Amino acid sequence: MTIFVPLIYLFAGWLMGKTAWDFKTAASWILTRVAIPIVIIFNISTRFGSMSTIIITTAISMLIMLMASRYIIRDPIKSLCFSYLNIGWLGLPVATALFGNEAATIIIAAYVGSSIVGNSVGAGMLSGHHFNPVKLVQTPPVLALILGAMLIPFSQQITLWFADLYDVAKFLMSFLGMAVLGIWLSKIELTLQDLRQEVRPYLVKCGVMFILFTLLLMLARTFDFRLITQNPGTLYLLCLLPPAANIIVLETHYLGTGRSAKLITCGTCISIIAISLFAAAVAIARTMGIAH
């Protein structure tokens, strides 16, 4: 039943969105400046050996998708919605509920890789400027990555002293992230036509990522990278995730518009249905003894 906890968080955000309290501004600040950096620092400092390959692979995969979609779609906002996924806020609680802590390691590593690309290349696409390494280093995910790498020699002490803080930050990352999405849902009027228009892009994205992650799984088996080979379900869960809510933040900052809000919301609605079916299939497979 824990698979439905993120939906409860989403509904809580939707209810908050119906009030006069602007919760999403404070929640976004806590997420980007506190909760997410803590989660990244803890995992990099204690599990970098198993995460580095996934960080690099996710960043490269997202970069390929961004560059390809840029020439095919020719709309930077739609390109970002196609390539930049809600890995941390939605993927983390779902993967942890379904597959445990090893899955959380994969999800967080993928989140770091996608955040680096999304906050650098994605911002450049919207602003019309080229890649800026100085601005990239100043983003919270990259600063957290650097600090986490510096703390690797103290991994045992960090695990001992800050495990509880990590659990709190991980909860806030999931709760606040889904709540912010719920608030956006409460502010936007959606029609069935809006949802139908986003089904095809969503399915195409799922297909492209399915191919990329199948190739990654084959490579992992060749090189005996067990974190990936023992968690194929987590990889394929990534295919079902919606566009990242952070896209609306980038769009608002660089373009002063909010066109991506409806795309993100529609994608989230479709994704929730797909993930629910995926979770049900996993539960049935375990009942039948097919999956562990």
Side-chain angles (χ1 to χ4, degrees):
M1 292 299 295
T2 53
I3 187 61
F4 297 107
V5 170
L7 300 183
I8 297 174
Y9 300 161
L10 186 77
F11 182 67
W14 184 85
L15 291 176
M16 292 175 189
K18 295 299 183 180
T19 68
W21 184 31
D22 186 13
F23 173 77
K24 65 179 181 296
T25 302
S28 298
W29 188 91
I30 294 172
L31 275 168
T32 56
R33 302 293 178 179
V34 182
I36 292 174
I38 289 175
V39 169
I40 292 174
I41 291 168
F42 185 90
N43 279 274
I44 292 296
S45 62
T46 59
R47 306 171 187 171
F48 182 75
S50 59
M51 294 178 72
S52 57
T53 301
I54 300 172
I55 292 173
I56 296 170
T57 302
T58 304
I60 293 174
S61 298
M62 182 178 170
L63 190 60
I64 292 172
M65 292 179 67
L66 267 178
M67 295 299 100
S69 62
R70 184 180 181 183
Y71 289 103
I72 296 173
I73 301 175
R74 297 185 180 279
D75 183 331
I77 294 175
K78 290 185 177 180
S79 294
L80 279 174
C81 288
F82 182 78
S83 311
Y84 191 6
L85 304 181
N86 192 343
I87 295 175
W89 300 359
L90 180 59
L92 180 63
V94 173
T96 304
L98 281 176
F99 303 113
N101 288 331
E102 279 198 349
T105 300
I106 294 175
I107 292 293
I108 293 168
Y111 171 79
V112 173
S114 67
S115 293
I116 292 172
V117 175
N119 284 287
S120 55
V121 179
M125 289 171 61
L126 292 178
S127 64
H129 298 113
H130 296 293
F131 173 78
N132 189 328
V134 176
K135 289 185 177 181
L136 173 61
V137 172
Q138 295 173 349
T139 59
V142 178
L143 289 174
L145 174 64
I146 294 171
L147 181 56
M150 293 172 61
L151 293 175
I152 289 176
F154 309 99
S155 60
Q156 293 183 350
Q157 291 88 341
I158 290 172
T159 302
L160 180 64
W161 296 338
F162 297 106
D164 291 338
L165 177 62
Y166 167 66
D167 289 336
V168 172
K170 192 166 62 170
F171 165 75
L172 289 175
M173 184 173 169
S174 301
F175 172 72
L176 294 179
M178 293 305 298
V180 169
L181 289 176
I183 292 173
W184 277 112
L185 281 172
S186 71
K187 304 294 185 184
I188 299 172
E189 293 184 4
L190 296 178
T191 65
L192 288 176
Q193 181 62 25
D194 293 326
L195 290 172
R196 282 197 293 266
Q197 287 178 349
E198 294 306 312
V199 169
R200 183 178 178 183
Y202 177 81
L203 293 177
V204 172
K205 181 267 300 177
C206 289
V208 171
M209 294 198 69
F210 180 86
I211 294 172
L212 287 175
F213 286 131
T214 299
L215 293 174
L216 174 60
L217 189 58
M218 293 170 61
L219 286 173
R221 286 172 177 165
T222 300
F223 294 101
D224 194 28
F225 191 64
R226 296 186 179 180
L227 182 62
I228 293 179
T229 57
Q230 293 176 355
N231 295 278
T234 304
L235 287 183
Y236 291 124
L237 172 64
L238 291 172
C239 302
L240 305 178
L241 296 178
N246 192 45
I247 297 171
I248 186 66
V249 177
L250 293 172
E251 182 193 355
T252 302
H253 179 72
Y254 289 105
L255 300 180
T257 59
R259 187 159 55 93
S260 63
K262 182 171 288 189
L263 301 178
I264 294 168
T265 303
C266 289
T268 300
C269 293
I270 297 168
S271 177
I272 288 172
I273 296 172
I275 290 173
S276 298
L277 294 174
F278 179 81
V282 170
I284 292 171
R286 284 177 177 163
T287 302
M288 299 175 62
I290 299 174
H292 298 285

